[in-house]
Structures are given as C-alpha cells and as structure tokens.
C-alpha cells in the first residue's frame, strides 16, 4: 500500500475524531506515516465535525485532502457534502441508522451499516463510531484488526468498563465490512 | 525513543520543556490555545510556572521580565495576539534577550477568522514591532519539524540573544502527527551569562534596557544589532528542496504547511510524467536568497503559492532578481488550496512557457471529477498545449498584485476544483 | 565614632535630573534606605517605568530593568515568577500605572504577585510636559485640560490605593506622602512593611506616595507642598488601606 486517505464526518460528539485517532494510532504502530487533521472552529461545538486521516508508507504530503479514498459518514449533511468528492473506486460507509438517504455514486463501493443499532446490540449506542471504523477496516484492511483492537484497549484504559462494548462494536463493524468486500481481501 | 501521536500545539509545548523551558506566559486564542492548556497541566509537574496573562500585551512584557532574569521562556499566540505582543517583542529585541515566540497563524486582517492562514509573513519577517529589529523566524511544515524547530529556536535565541519566532498555520497547531522527541526529560537551565538580572550580590549591577537618549549611543546600539542580524543571515539560513534533482521547467515556492500541499500536487504531476521542483524556506528570516536563486536559475518560471494574498512572493522576487516571471496563487480567510487546485495552477504556469500537459481549467468541478472514471483522471488526452500569453487572451502575470487579482477572478468564475 | 547617617549604598553617586522641589529624589532615597536596612540589595531587581522616573535605573545601585509604558507589573510578574528568590519592585508614576498600565497593575494585584509597587502620584504627567493624568484633581488645570479637569467630561481622579484594596486577594496597600518630613518618615515605614511582606513571600504590596510637581503645577516648591496638603490629601486620604491577614497567609490560606 502506498497510501490512502479517509475522511470521517458527523456531528460533533459522535466520536468520529476519536475513530480517526484510533486509526492513526494503529497505522503509526504498524510503522506507517500518518496525519490526523480535524476540522476546527465553531464547528467543534455541536456542528459538523470531520477529520481527515492520511496513511502512507512515505512521509505524508498534504494532510488536507479534497478527494479522499474513503468516507465514513454519520449524518446526512456530511454525505451530501463529501459524498461527491470520494475518489472513483473508493469506499463510502454510511451509518444508515442516522442517514435516511443513499449515496449517489455508482463508481464507489457504498456500505450501508446501521451503526447505532449494531452498537446498541454490542452494549452501547455510543460506540457507533467504532462500528463505522470496524467496517472501514474490514473492507480496506489498512491496518491489522489486532492492532486496532489494541488501540481501543489503550484508548479506554482509564475507563476499562467501556472496553468490552467498544471492542464488540468494532468487531461487528469489521465483520460487516469484511462481508462487503466479499469475505476475502 | 518511541514515536507518539501528538497535536501540533501540544507537541510545541512539550518541545519547549525538553529544551529546558519551564516558564510560560501567555493568553488563550484560537487556534493555539492547546499550547497554554497543555503547559498549564505539564509545567507544575516539572517545577515550572504557567501564568495566564491578562492580555498579550502583558504576556509579552512578562516574558521580557522572565528572560531578563535569565530564564528560558516561551509564549505562544495567534495573529491578533502577536499584534498585541509587538510592544514587548520590540523591547526584547532591543534589550537583546533570548525568548521564543510561537505564532499559530489564523486568518486576518482584523479579527479575520480562526482557520489556517499565512498572512503574518510580513509581520514576522518585516514588521513585528516598531524600530529597526529583526526576529529569527522558523517555519515548520510538520509536527515533528515544529518540535525540532522549537528546540532549535531556544538554541538560536541564546546564541544570538535575540527573540526567535516559530511560525505555523492553524493546521499545524491542530493536526496530529507522530513525533519523536530528540531529548528526554527537562533540558538544563539557561546559563544567565553576563547579562541576566540575578541580583548584584558579589558583582557589578546590570541593567536590562532599551533607552538610549543620546543619538550617538542609540546609533551605535543599532549598528551592533545590525552586525548581529548579518551574522544570523550568514549562519542561519535553512531551506528544503523537493524534487529538484531532476530537470524541471517550473519551480514552486511555498512555506510551512502550504509546501506539503504543493508536494502532493507535485507528486501527482510526477505520476503524469511532469517534473516540478519545490523550494521551501525553513528560515523565513534570514531568507535563504542564494539557495533560492540557485534553484531559480535552473527553472524557466516560478509559481509561488501561499495562504495569503502574496507576501513571501516579495522575497522570491528578491531571489529571482527579475530573471524569471513569477506566477502567484494564494487564498486567504482560512480557505486552504487543495492539492488538485495547486496542480491545476502548476499546469497553467507550465502552459505559459509552452510546457504542457495542461489540463483545461474549469472542467474539474467536484461533480465532474467524481463522475470521471479513474482512468481518465490522469489521462493526457485532455491536455492541450498552450503558448504563453494565449490563455484566455490574458498576458502572463508576473507578480503578486496582478496575479492575486487574476486568481480572485478565477474564483468568481467558479474554476476552483475539488470544493 | 559610629556613623549614623550617610549616603545609601543602594543609590548611585549621581545627581538626579528631577526638578527642584520634586519629591522623586526623596522617594528614591526612602526605597534605597529600606533595601539597605533589610540587607536585600544583592537580590533586588527594580523596574523603572516610562515617565519622569524613566531614568530611575541610573540612580538605583542594583540590578534594574527599564520597562515599557505601564507594563512594569507584568515585567515584575515575569521576573518574580521565574526567580522567586529575587526581591522585585516596580517604581511607577500616575500616567504609567493608573492610565496606560491600569490592566497590568490591577491583574498583578489580583493574582497576588509577591512584588512591591511604588506608585508616585503627582496628579499630572511630568515628563511629557504637564498633561492631565487619571489622578489630576477636579478643576486642576493642565495643558490638556486648560480650563481645569471637568469631572463630567473625564470622570473623577482614580484612587488607586482604594481601588486595589477592594480586591479580594490579600495584599498590603497603603498611601503616604512625601510633602513633609513627618509624612515622609511615615511613608518610609509603609515601604519597609511592604518589602518585609515580600521578603516573607506573603502577598502583593503597594505603596502610593503623593508627590509634588512644582514645575508643571506652576508653583514654587513650598506652594506645591501646601497645594498637595490642601487639595490632594482630602481626596487621597493617607494611611494603610489593607493588610494581609498574616496568620492566614502563613498558613497558606
């Protein structure tokens, strides 16, 4: 893999910045170069929040990407805004629990995943962001599943009671993504 | 030492501690507030002092006081805050004290906005405050480089007894990248030398001062400072060349994060078979004129790209000494040019010297780009060679002002891609 | 034979530039004597302001800063926080402290910086040639209020000692005067107490000293001293405005 970019977008508080951080951590731990660039400003408070994670086997050039390889969306405005920008052949993961519309792209893989519902099954609806991250990694294999799980354990080390539900949410998402890829990579 | 993933602002704070700076005086302002937040937490752990000043005016005078008693000291701010610090910075430079300042630039002028910009280039390199003084200015392009340059900034501040500014845009403050700190723990304290006010016990008293009512004395002081700035210019030029080993027709000039975006555009074009060089000054002052001229001499045209309406371009002009035409592309207000946008500007510049592949600008709206199949994306079929001076009946532009006007008209016509 | 009076070692053997009848020289001397008496010259750092006492660093014989206009309390904050063992004081006039430096003095006091501020209030801008100060008396004529200070236009004179004494943060705040020998001696006691609080690391300390400016007031030195007594003291009452609760301060409360 030479490099890839993921844009994760949703409302502030939906945890997409954290998903991005976990991804960046995991890739870094696998020896890759990474950058994590959040949107910031008034948007940080309740509006849309998004983060671009770049992963590369050489130093990351621009951390600011207008056409990402993958898009993870937690709300409709983000899909409408960023959906058209995904590179052809790329991936769009849509949280269908919250996004009532479909992605208008026939040149990308689009995965619809009821992230909130699945997260609730895993133990907490708050872990929808990890279902989304799992789906992305299940499909793309950008980092090893084990590395990602390790990052989740590390991130929640001080709030250990949240680890099982978050791990479970991630695993469910991962399975969905892997299935969408055809069960093999 | 293991790499850690850190936000630029926090890494800057930690870098200062590693350099032995345990005193911080500052005032919150977006997008640099994570530096004071980080240090408010960290400095007490290392026996240091964090003081939230009542204003940036006060902060700049607090660091004057701290440096004057021989302590390594840091302040950080963002554009409007740096304007308020101008007073203290001038006094610090005049009194020859070592301090490190960080400006995480936001959009201006006035209150502007809080998103990334590079519009303080003039302020940093030309007019930070009143009187004849210069800052040594370093501009990182990654979080790791921000760490390295903050540590270097303390060394240089103490070597020259001069304020050093590390200048980045909001992106570098807010983004996370892996960093490795070159040193462990807290660096050793500053040697107060023969100038710091440590109490006059057992020695002659000292004065930290910038008042010279006698014009001859004031002139002598200015000459002394000038000699110092000349030594800095001789010894402290830093720059990076990218893709300059192979022949190129066009040289792109950019600094800070903008250079990273240009690099991606250059990589994309390289994949199409077009080689474009990049010159990035790391020390904005002293500006590396001679190294810049050397790479300019191998090009036929220059494209300067900044997140401003054209400020560094004047230094590029000084380096080029009228030998080449300079195109300019700039955005402000927190609008960050995308790699695609820069690539289009590179194609336009190449077209002006008859070196296409120039993609027709205007065809690359987001929807069009999305609709395109991956194959045609980098196809040369769509390229049309253009001769200089023929594009749209416009003559080639050669400098900041006119090109900036051209660029904004391009924006009005919606030719910008990818947004 | 014991020498009981002499030139303070804390003052340089220079003739000051102050006008005849100005009390800056006397106030310099009192500060110097207090520092000598406390034996702290070797660890004292003074901060000169912008104004008539801009050259105070020429007269005090120990480490000195020259600060920008009004910012001496900020400079003092930076110095004291960085080297807490230093004894740090600022010496400021009314334009410097009560006008352009209002933010710095109020916040330094409110943070409880362990510094000493000597505030010389002569109700006028001296160095720039007699313009109105925030402490100029009602109806007092200056070059920028030639018809006299109109309190309806520019408000009443600022009582800095009282203003700072209102702050909740512990501090030692006093106002003295240098227009008579008796008041000068009393003022020196305030200065000594202020420095003692600082040496003990107790609290922010502030001594306002009413001072004369015969040149810009357009009076003879004797008339100026009388004018200060008659016009200023009723408006700017002398005395200690606030003392730290020493016991509480020692307990770190």
């Amino acid at each position: 893999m030479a490099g890839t970019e993921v844009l994760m977008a949703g409302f502030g508080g939906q945890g997409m910045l954290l998903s991005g951080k976990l991804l960046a951590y995991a890739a870094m731990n696998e020896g890759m170069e990474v950058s994590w660039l959040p949107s910031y400003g008034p948007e940080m408070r309740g509006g849309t929040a998004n983060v671009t994670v770049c992963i590369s086997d050489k130093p990351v050039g621009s951390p600011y990407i207008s056409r990402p390889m993958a898009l993870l969306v937690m709300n409709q405005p983000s899909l409408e805004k960023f959906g058209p920008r995904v590179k052809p052949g790329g991936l769009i993961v849509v949280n269908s629990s919250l996004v009532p519309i479909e992605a208008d792209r026939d040149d990308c893989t689009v995965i619809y995943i009821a992230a909130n519902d699945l997260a609730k099954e895993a133990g907490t609806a708050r872990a929808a962001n990890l279902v989304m991250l799992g789906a992305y990694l299940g499909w793309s294999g950008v980092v090893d599943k084990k590395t990602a799980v390790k990052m989740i354990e590390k991130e929640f080390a001080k709030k250990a009671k949240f680890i099982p539900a978050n791990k479970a949410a991630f695993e469910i998402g991962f399975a969905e993504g892997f299935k969408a890829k055809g069960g093999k990579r | 030492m293991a790499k850690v993933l850190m936000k630029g602002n926090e890494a800057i704070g930690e870098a200062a501690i590693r350099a032995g700076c345990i005193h911080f005086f500052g005032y919150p302002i977006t997008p640099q507030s994570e530096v004071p937040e980080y240090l408010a937490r960290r400095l007490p752990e290392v026996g240091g002092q964090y003081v939230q000043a009542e204003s940036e005016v006060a902060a700049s005078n607090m660091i004057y006081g701290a440096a004057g008693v021989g302590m390594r000291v840091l302040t950080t701010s963002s554009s409007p805050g740096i304007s308020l610090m101008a007073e203290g910075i001038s006094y610090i430079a005049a009194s020859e004290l070592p301090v490190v300042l960080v400006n995480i630039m936001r959009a201006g002028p006035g209150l502007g906005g809080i998103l990334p910009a590079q519009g303080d280039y003039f302020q940093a390199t030309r007019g930070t405050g009143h009187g004849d003084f210069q800052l040594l200015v370093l501009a990182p392009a990654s979080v790791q480089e921000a760490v390295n340059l903050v540590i270097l900034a303390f060394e240089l501040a103490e070597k020259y007894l001069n304020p050093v500014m590390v200048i980045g845009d909001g992106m570098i403050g807010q983004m996370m990248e892996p960093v490795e700190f070159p040193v462990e723990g807290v660096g050793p304290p500053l040697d107060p030398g023969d100038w710091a006010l440590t109490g006059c016990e057992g020695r002659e008293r000292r004065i930290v001062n910038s008042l010279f009512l006698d014009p001859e004395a004031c002139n002598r002081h200015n000459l002394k400072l000038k000699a110092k700035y000349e030594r800095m210019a001789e010894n402290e030029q830093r720059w990076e060349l990218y893709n300059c080993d192979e022949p190129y027709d066009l040289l792109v000039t950019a600094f800070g994060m903008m250079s990273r975006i240009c690099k991606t555009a250059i990589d994309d074009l390289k994949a199409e078979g077009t080689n474009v060089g990049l010159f990035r000054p790391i020390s904005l002052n002293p500006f590396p004129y001679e190294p810049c001229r050397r790479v300019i001499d191998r090009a036929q045209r220059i494209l300067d790209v900044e997140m401003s309406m054209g400020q560094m371009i004047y230094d590029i002009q000084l380096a080029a000494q009228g030998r080449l035409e300079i195109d300019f592309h700039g955005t402000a207000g927190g609008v960050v040019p995308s790699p695609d946008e820069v690539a289009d500007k590179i194609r336009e510049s190449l077209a002006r010297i008859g070196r296409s592949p120039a993609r027709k600008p205007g065809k690359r709206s987001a929807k069009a780009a999305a609709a395109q199949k991956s194959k045609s994306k980098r196809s040369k079929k769509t390229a049309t060679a253009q001769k200089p001076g023929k594009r749209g009946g416009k003559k080639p532009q050669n400098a900041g002002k006119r090109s900036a006007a051209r660029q904004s008209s391009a924006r009005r016509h919606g030719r910008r891609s990818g947004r | 034979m014991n020498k009981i009076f002499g030139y303070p070692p804390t003052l340089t053997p220079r003739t000051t530039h102050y006008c005849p009848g100005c009390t800056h020289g006397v106030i310099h001397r009192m500060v110097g004597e207090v520092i000598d008496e406390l034996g702290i010259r070797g660890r004292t750092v003074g901060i000169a302001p912008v104004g008539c006492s801009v050259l105070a660093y020429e007269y005090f014989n120990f480490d000195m800063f020259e600060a920008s206009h009004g910012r001496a309390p900020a400079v003092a904050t930076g110095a004291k926080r960085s080297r807490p063992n230093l004894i740090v004081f600022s010496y400021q006039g009314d334009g410097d402290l009560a006008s352009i430096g209002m933010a710095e003095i109020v916040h330094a006091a409110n943070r409880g910086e362990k510094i000493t501020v000597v505030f010389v209030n002569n109700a006028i801008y001296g160095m720039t040639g007699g313009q109105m100060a925030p402490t100029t008396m009602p109806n007092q004529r200056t070059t920028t209020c030639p018809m006299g200070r109109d309190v309806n236009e520019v408000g009443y004179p600022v009582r800095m000692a009282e203003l700072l004494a209102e702050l909740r943060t512990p501090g030692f705040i006093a106002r003295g005067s240098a227009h008579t020998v008796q008041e000068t001696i009393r003022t020196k006691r305030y200065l000594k107490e202020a420095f003692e609080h600082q040496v003990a690391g107790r609290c922010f300390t502030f001594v306002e000293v009413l001072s004369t400016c015969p040149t810009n007031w357009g009076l003879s030195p004797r008339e100026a001293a009388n004018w200060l007594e008659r016009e200023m003291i009723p408006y700017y009452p002398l005395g200690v405005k606030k003392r730290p609760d020493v016991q509480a301060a020692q307990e770190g409360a």
Side-chain angles (χ1 to χ4, degrees):
Chain A
M1 186 199 68
T4 194
E5 317 90 22
V6 197
L7 176 62
M8 307 184 181
F11 290 119
Q14 284 182 325
M16 294 317 266
L17 266 55
L18 174 63
S19 292
K21 193 168 128 186
L22 291 169
L23 174 62
Y25 264 125
M28 183 182 83
N29 272 278
E30 293 193 352
M32 286 180 274
E33 301 282 352
V34 298
S35 68
W36 176 95
L37 178 69
S39 61
Y40 67 89
E43 291 177 346
M44 281 159 76
R45 311 278 180 263
T48 60
N50 68 73
V51 60
T52 305
V53 177
C54 296
I55 300 171
S56 176
D57 53 12
K58 57 175 199 149
V60 175
S62 173
Y64 171 62
I65 298 294
S66 45
R67 293 180 300 121
M69 201 58 212
L71 170 70
L72 278 54
V73 285
M74 297 285 272
N75 63 17
Q76 183 175 340
S78 296
L79 180 58
E80 287 166 347
K81 187 174 175 190
F82 301 119
R85 297 193 195 168
V86 178
K87 277 182 192 156
L91 170 74
I92 302 175
V93 183
V94 179
N95 180 357
S96 58
S97 302
L98 301 174
V99 182
I101 59 162
E102 293 198 350
D104 186 21
R105 293 291 298 266
D106 51 14
D107 56 346
C108 292
T109 303
V110 184
I111 303 175
Y112 297 94
I113 183 161
N116 286 52
D117 302 327
L118 291 171
K120 217 174 286 172
E121 280 173 32
T124 168
R126 290 182 58 89
N129 59 333
L130 285 163
V131 176
M132 299 291 282
L133 177 65
Y136 168 66
L137 289 177
W139 187 85
S140 69
V142 165
V143 294
D144 198 78
K145 187 176 160 187
K146 279 184 205 151
T147 317
V149 170
K150 217 180 287 171
M151 294 306 120
I152 295 169
E153 286 168 353
K154 210 170 149 188
E155 178 65 30
F156 290 98
K158 283 180 187 162
K159 297 170 266 182
K161 63 173 176 173
F162 294 119
I163 292 176
N166 278 285
K167 263 164 73 173
F170 174 80
E171 302 265 4
I172 291 171
F174 191 92
E176 290 288 324
F178 195 60
K179 203 163 73 192
K181 187 76 180 174
K184 59 178 188 282
R185 200 172 287 120
Chain B
M1 213 177 141
K3 280 191 176 182
V4 285
L5 193 64
M6 268 183 114
K7 224 177 194 193
N9 282 336
E10 299 188 340
I12 284 166
E14 183 61 30
I17 293 173
R18 304 297 173 102
C21 169
I22 56 168
H23 294 93
F24 177 93
F25 302 85
Y27 189 83
I29 180 172
T30 309
Q32 66 82 51
S33 294
E34 292 85 355
V35 185
E37 284 170 0
Y38 181 82
L39 289 174
R41 195 165 68 234
R42 271 287 276 149
L43 287 177
E45 289 173 11
V46 295
Q49 274 280 339
Y50 164 87
V51 178
Q52 183 160 319
E54 59 271 30
S55 69
E56 286 92 347
V57 177
S60 70
N61 284 283
M62 288 176 183
I63 61 171
Y64 172 66
V69 299
M71 284 296 180
R72 225 170 250 131
V73 66
L74 172 77
T75 193
T76 63
S77 191
S78 180
S79 313
I82 299 290
S83 296
L84 283 174
M85 288 184 181
E87 175 189 273
I89 296 170
S90 178
Y91 280 69
I92 289 163
S95 307
E96 299 195 79
L97 297 176
V99 303
V100 173
L101 314 144
V102 176
N103 180 3
I104 299 297
M105 286 180 281
R106 55 187 261 179
L111 202 47
I114 58 173
L115 294 174
Q118 296 184 318
D120 300 347
Y121 183 94
F122 283 158
Q123 187 194 44
T125 63
R126 302 291 198 278
T128 319
H130 65 281
D132 255 334
F133 77 90
Q134 294 186 29
L135 298 180
L136 212 152
V137 184
L138 304 169
S142 69
V143 176
Q144 180 67 59
E145 196 178 34
V147 164
N148 299 347
L149 291 183
V150 165
I151 293 170
L152 175 68
F154 282 102
E155 281 172 32
L156 296 179
E158 287 152 30
K159 179 176 174 187
Y160 293 98
L161 293 181
N162 203 67
V164 178
M165 177 181 278
V166 175
I167 192 162
D169 60 66
M171 250 189 288
I172 213 162
Q174 296 295 323
M175 69 191 284
M176 284 204 287
E177 284 188 317
V179 285
E180 202 168 354
F181 290 95
V183 280
E184 291 271 9
V186 183
L190 168 64
D191 173 6
D194 60 359
W195 49 269
L197 308 184
T198 51
C200 66
E201 192 66 58
R203 61 158 169 79
E204 284 293 300
R205 78 196 188 100
R206 296 171 181 162
I207 300 171
V208 170
N209 177 31
S210 58
L211 179 65
F212 297 89
L213 289 172
D214 170 14
E216 288 300 328
C218 199
N219 186 45
R220 277 196 302 279
H221 182 59
N222 274 276
L223 286 167
K224 181 189 171 204
L225 293 178
K226 179 169 184 277
K228 179 165 85 175
Y229 303 143
E230 282 164 1
R231 282 202 308 283
M232 277 162 30
E234 202 166 306
N235 302 325
E236 307 304 342
Q237 294 181 20
R238 287 170 170 81
W239 68 94
E240 183 198 7
L241 303 180
Y242 187 71
N243 223 23
C244 288
D245 291 338
E246 293 169 45
Y248 51 88
D249 295 317
L250 183 75
L251 182 74
V252 173
T253 53
F255 75 97
M257 287 305 293
M258 197 58 238
S259 71
R260 296 265 300 269
I261 295 167
C262 291
K263 278 182 183 179
T264 296
I266 287 169
D267 287 349
D268 288 350
L269 286 161
K270 197 166 190 172
E272 293 177 16
T274 304
N275 208 58
V276 174
L278 173 81
F279 177 82
R280 169 174 78 101
I282 296 171
S283 57
L284 304 187
N285 190 53
F287 191 88
Y289 290 110
E290 185 56 27
C292 185
R293 188 195 57 75
R294 286 199 295 269
V295 284
I296 283 173
D297 278 351
R298 289 156 52 199
Q300 297 191 32
R301 201 175 180 93
I302 301 165
L303 171 64
D304 179 62
V305 189
E306 301 178 51
M307 284 190 270
S308 75
M309 291 293 105
Q311 301 194 6
M312 184 178 78
I313 190 168
Y314 288 90
D315 280 325
I316 304 300
Q317 283 174 341
L318 284 173
Q321 293 170 358
R323 275 176 256 207
L324 291 186
E325 301 264 25
I326 306 173
D327 293 327
F328 174 72
H329 181 60
T331 57
V335 174
V336 180
S338 70
D340 289 349
E341 186 178 335
V342 174
D344 281 348
K345 295 295 164 188
I346 291 174
R347 289 188 189 94
E348 286 173 22
S349 289
L350 283 168
R352 290 197 192 104
I353 45 172
R355 300 280 192 283
S356 275
R359 184 189 307 283
K360 264 191 193 164
K363 293 262 167 136
R364 302 239 338 197
S365 71
K367 270 184 191 166
Q372 270 179 332
K373 294 298 170 195
S374 55
K375 268 185 207 165
S376 68
K377 187 167 70 79
R378 284 179 177 156
S379 164
K380 289 180 188 174
K381 280 180 203 162
T382 54
T384 35
Q386 289 177 336
K387 292 201 172 79
K390 290 286 167 81
R391 229 189 96 265
K394 279 179 187 159
K395 285 179 186 169
Q397 309 290 324
N398 65 349
K401 280 181 195 163
R402 293 168 67 201
S403 298
R406 210 194 112 258
Q407 179 256 322
S408 61
S409 95
R411 172 144 315 159
R412 275 200 302 278
H413 295 114
R415 288 216 303 262
R416 224 154 54 82
S417 65
R419 294 294 293 251
Chain C
M1 193 172 74
N2 285 337
K3 185 176 172 184
I4 56 164
F5 189 77
Y7 196 83
T10 43
L11 296 184
T12 58
R14 287 184 62 139
T15 307
T16 69
H17 68 288
Y18 299 118
C19 303
C22 166
T23 52
H24 263 306
V26 173
I27 301 167
H28 280 21
R29 186 182 174 110
M30 287 191 289
V31 171
E33 283 179 0
V34 163
I35 289 169
D36 279 334
E37 287 164 22
L38 294 174
I40 53 174
R41 177 182 165 270
R43 60 183 180 114
T44 294
V45 171
I47 302 166
V50 170
C52 278
S53 46
V54 67
L55 292 173
Y57 61 83
E58 298 278 15
Y59 310 133
F60 286 119
N61 185 20
F62 38 75
D63 282 5
M64 287 290 293
F65 274 104
E66 168 50 43
S68 54
H69 202 18
R71 318 295 177 220
V75 177
T77 299
K80 184 75 179 185
R81 293 281 188 133
S82 301
R83 286 194 190 273
N85 287 334
L86 292 176
I87 301 301
V88 180
F89 78 92
S90 69
Y91 186 103
Q92 304 174 256
D94 43 50
D96 190 89
L97 181 138
S99 185
I100 195 168
M102 183 62 107
E104 282 74 16
I105 186 61
V106 171
H107 284 279
N110 194 52
R111 283 191 304 267
E113 298 296 343
K114 313 291 187 288
I115 58 171
T116 299
V117 175
V118 182
F119 170 44
V120 179
N121 175 3
N122 60 9
I124 204 157
Y125 280 65
M127 173 167 262
T128 45
Q131 294 84 7
M132 185 183 71
T135 53
T136 291
M137 299 304 296
N139 302 319
Q140 181 186 343
R141 291 179 185 217
T142 73
T143 58
T144 51
C145 51
M147 312 308 286
R149 179 181 186 134
D150 179 352
V151 294
N152 294 315
E153 289 285 333
V154 299
Y156 283 84
V158 180
R159 296 184 177 114
M160 283 308 303
E162 286 80 359
L163 189 152
L164 296 177
E166 273 299 302
L167 296 170
R168 170 69 187 83
T169 308
F172 172 77
I173 314 279
R175 181 186 290 120
S177 177
H179 75 297
T180 63
V181 173
Q182 195 183 11
E183 289 304 334
T184 302
I185 290 168
R186 203 195 308 271
T187 299
K188 187 181 159 187
R189 283 208 296 273
Y190 297 154
L191 285 167
K192 192 160 185 180
E193 182 171 348
F195 275 96
E196 281 168 345
H197 285 306
Q198 185 181 169
V199 169
R202 231 165 253 144
C203 61
F204 173 79
T205 59
F206 179 93
V207 180
E208 175 172 342
V209 187
L210 301 184
S211 174
T212 54
C213 184
T215 303
N216 288 301
W217 289 356
L219 300 172
S220 72
R222 185 186 294 269
E223 286 167 346
N226 290 339
W227 190 85
L228 186 155
E229 172 130 0
R230 194 176 66 242
E231 300 292 330
M232 288 179 75
I233 290 178
Y235 188 85
Y236 295 115
L238 307 182
V240 174
K241 309 290 169 184
K242 179 172 172 176
R243 272 202 172 85
D245 181 336
V246 173
Q247 198 183 343
Q250 280 167 345
E251 285 164 3

